[in-house]
Amino acid sequence: VLLHPMSQADSVILHQYDMSPFSEKIRKIFAYKNARWQAVTQSMWLPRPHLTPMTGAYRRIPVLQIGADLYCDTRLIARTIDALFPDPPLYPKGLEAAADCITQWADRHMFAAAVPQVFTALGAMLPPQLMEDRKKMRPDLDPAVLLAAVPDLKNELRVFAAALDRTLAQGGFLLGATFSIADAAVYHVLWFVRNAPDAGAILSHFPGVQRWLSVIDGMGQGQREDMTPEAALAIAKAAEPTTTRKPDPNDPNGLTPGTTVAISSDDLPQDRFEGEVLALDVDEVVILRQSPECGTIALHFPRAGYHV
């Protein structure tokens, strides 16, 4: 992780909202670390007038802020928290690849099976602004298509739960006796999907999964303190990025610091983030962007899942 050691004055700030499943993933990581962190509650939909000046076009939640360094995407956020609070470790030694593979599967494939079940079950209760915002993210979002997919997605969820139960019925966690990034990733999907009554009923048939969910439910959120969006923006404005210029001599495309680039995620190509490359390595790329509201910001993105 391209990160300088924090001073005691630095705050670890998470821009989130309480119903956000990906925020719940990070909250449980804070709980496991027993870390002190600041929660900034952002809107469930755009606009976010105190976050957008820092992140530009990035619309996903959560975002991790340390001064004028902003970390996007929970894959990178999790690694950054693990570097800041290394004990206990989030990636089991010798099982790092397995942990990453489970995380990617949960974040993408498993989550894609969960979303339609929740949205169709709770659609009448969801704010219309939320649905309109998600349609801007996914122009092909069609409630009728989601509803038609639900029966097969229930079958898929049941297959996933049965596979998880075969491991969790033995006790412990997904990769052994201790919590890991794999547990955080799978948990946030099941935490979200059980809001749909039918999905919750499916999960209830798997005692190992239920025991594991109950354990993680009880972990809490770490040492959470609340902060206003205005205060977080003021911190960014008063700070300068601590990330220093760093090339990657083995970059397969010859990307170097100082190059002006546009970055977008592979599933939301319409949202582009432009800036000058400051630092990069095998896992991460950092760009500088300027904002009249808060000056210079270093935006950190993971390499996997993003186009440069």
Side-chain angles (χ1 to χ4, degrees), residues 2 80 128 133 166 186 215 223 228 255 257 293 296 298:
L2 298 168
T80 302
D133 182 75
R166 286 191 285 273
V186 172
V215 169
Q223 300 179 49
T228 66
L255 186 63
E293 296 92 342
T296 304

Side-chain angles (χ1 to χ4, degrees), residues 18-267:
D18 287 346
M19 290 180 62
S20 161
F22 280 92
S23 297
E24 181 67 5
K25 174 183 174 182
I26 301 303
R27 290 190 292 258
K28 289 305 180 187
I29 292 172
F30 281 133
Y32 173 61
K33 300 286 190 177
N34 192 28
R36 182 179 178 182
W37 61 286
Q38 307 285 332
V40 174
T41 298
Q42 295 287 349
S43 169
M44 295 172 66
W45 53 82
L46 295 181
R48 299 184 182 115
H50 300 96
L51 181 59
T52 299
M54 294 186 276
T55 58
Y58 191 77
R59 65 167 61 237
R60 285 186 160 127
I61 289 289
V63 173
L64 185 74
Q65 177 188 351
I66 303 172
D69 284 82
L70 279 289
Y71 297 80
C72 302
D73 196 285
T74 56
R75 181 177 185 272
L76 180 57
I77 291 171
R79 287 192 173 277
T80 302
I81 293 170
D82 198 47
L84 288 170
F85 307 101
D87 187 26
L90 194 56
Y91 296 82
K93 188 172 179 59
L95 293 171
E96 292 89 348
D100 271 337
C101 287
I102 292 172
T103 298
Q104 291 291 340
W105 166 72
D107 285 356
R108 297 240 174 169
H109 200 81
M110 196 179 184
F111 192 71
V115 169
Q117 298 188 61
V118 176
F119 271 47
T120 54
L122 305 181
M125 294 179 280
L126 295 174
Q129 300 97 319
L130 177 64
M131 295 302 294
E132 287 303 314
D133 182 75
R134 297 309 185 260
K135 285 179 181 177
K136 292 175 183 176
M137 295 173 70
R138 310 280 186 187
D140 58 348
L141 187 65
D142 184 333
V145 173
L146 293 182
L147 188 61
V150 165
D152 286 332
L153 296 179
K154 288 179 181 178
N155 290 334
E156 205 165 278
L157 176 66
R158 187 165 173 248
V159 169
F160 294 159
L164 293 168
D165 200 66
R166 286 191 285 273
T167 293
L168 296 171
Q170 309 303 313
F173 295 88
L174 287 172
L175 291 176
T178 59
F179 181 89
S180 74
I181 185 61
D183 297 285
V186 172
Y187 172 81
H188 93 274
V189 178
L190 299 188
W191 175 86
F192 184 59
V193 79
R194 66 185 176 182
N195 286 296
D198 288 352
I202 290 169
L203 296 178
S204 71
H205 293 292
F206 298 98
V209 171
Q210 290 298 309
R211 175 202 59 79
W212 173 84
L213 282 170
S214 179
V215 169
I216 301 179
D217 285 343
M219 286 172 55
Q221 297 186 356
Q223 300 179 49
R224 171 176 172 165
E225 300 173 359
D226 290 328
M227 175 182 284
T228 66
E230 293 84 355
L233 182 60
I235 287 172
K237 184 175 182 179
E240 292 290 333
T242 60
T243 303
T244 56
R245 184 182 178 96
K246 180 180 182 294
D248 177 2
N250 299 315
D251 186 86
N253 300 303
L255 186 63
T256 59
T259 305
T260 299
V261 297
I263 297 178
S264 61
S265 65
D266 59 10
D267 58 344

